[in-house]
Amino acid sequence: MENQIKKIGVLTSGGDAPGMNAAIRSVARACAYHNIECVGIYRGYEGMIEGDFKSLNARSVNHIINKGGTFLKSARSEEFRTKEGRKKAYDQLQKEQIDALVLIGGDGTFTGGMIFNEEFNFPIIGIPGTIDNDIVGTNYTLGYDTALNTAVEAIDKIRDTASSHRRLFFVEVMGRDVGHIALNAGVGSGAEEILVPEEDLGLDRLLESLEKSRHTGKSSSIVVVAEGDKTGKNVFELRDYVEENLEGYDVRVSVLGHMQRGGSPSCFDRVLACRMGVKAVESLLEGKFNYMVGTVNNKLELYPIDKAVKGHSTIDAELLRVSDIMSI
């Protein structure tokens, strides 16, 4: 390996996701394995501007692989959006003699890193960490599997009370721009209907579907709604519309919210974080910069970070078709 890099900084930015701690641990231990220094940057780009750094070694990241959230903390930085703010951050990195950065986060994190690299020619590599799984260039992002299982477990419990009281539940899950969580959690929990931003079901068809379910003998129903779905203005409007136009259902709403971000990461997310952290460090040591580490068909690949930022994740059309069949 070409090893002109002696010190690597690692930060988490944007929304937290289960598996971020496991990724930080992987980066720190991969650095230790290759006899280079690792520096943790607290509070993302905001901490980089302020020089909020802490040296990390193999022992300082003990017992965090199973922890949710990020012990390096995360913050959104308005100052980093300015050239002056980014110059402050660069000066702090130079002062600390940090040679490259591992950025753990999503689209906003990568956009900031890409601009930073363009201005200062500073080596960066990204690890996708977001529960929405909305980053192009990887089949899975850190936190997605955990969030998905959290949603399914919650919906399973909601179904118990829905069945007991002959209720219709609208369950809102995260997914502002994409419906990966809603679609997969809906199929996995046996939902009667799934509403995602990519497909505008329409209010009339929603009523038809619920009416059909009742005629086939279903006394309760679960509708999983991605927060970015456009069928109604919001999930509460959907509830009101169904109550006004469909008799016989006691309609309730459950918004899962930020509980999907928390909790101990799944085994899948822990293993993925370990693999991505090692790949990120070794890619930097090989002189490969401005990439994102992704997984494609269970193999780690490097994907240009600018394409990851500019691309658009697509919904699984085949799984949409399966969901229609399963809801009969």
Side-chain angles (χ1 to χ4, degrees), residues 123-251:
I124 62 166
I125 197 158
I127 293 177
T130 168
I131 68 168
D132 287 341
N133 202 41
D134 59 350
I135 302 294
V136 174
T138 185
N139 294 143
Y140 300 104
T141 59
L142 292 183
Y144 171 63
D145 184 73
T146 305
L148 198 55
N149 282 284
T150 297
V152 168
E153 183 179 359
I155 295 168
D156 285 347
K157 293 177 179 179
I158 289 169
R159 185 175 289 283
D160 289 344
T161 191
S163 300
S164 298
H165 295 277
R166 300 174 64 90
R167 285 175 176 158
L168 163 63
F169 265 89
F170 284 100
V171 182
E172 184 185 272
V173 299
M174 283 187 166
R176 183 182 59 195
D177 301 311
V178 294
H180 297 304
I181 292 178
L183 178 57
N184 283 270
V187 172
S189 61
E192 278 66 40
E193 199 58 72
I194 303 167
L195 307 181
V196 295
E198 295 87 345
E199 296 282 324
D200 188 353
L201 180 66
L203 292 170
D204 291 338
R205 190 186 152 195
L206 174 61
L207 288 180
E208 290 174 10
S209 175
L210 293 172
E211 192 66 60
K212 181 180 178 181
S213 293
R214 187 162 57 182
H215 285 320
T216 58
K218 293 182 180 179
S219 60
S220 64
S221 290
I222 299 288
V223 179
V224 178
V225 185
E227 61 181 321
D229 174 66
K230 303 299 189 295
T231 304
K233 290 181 180 178
N234 55 58
V235 68
F236 297 100
E237 184 187 74
L238 288 175
R239 175 200 61 193
D240 295 342
Y241 183 83
V242 170
E243 283 185 332
E244 292 170 5
N245 293 277
L246 191 64
E247 295 182 358
Y249 272 123
D250 181 8
V251 187

Side-chain angles (χ1 to χ4, degrees), residues 17 23 28 56 79 111 138 218 279 286 321:
L56 301 178
E79 189 174 4
T111 299
T138 185
K218 293 182 180 179
K279 182 71 171 179
E286 292 167 357
R321 192 178 77 85

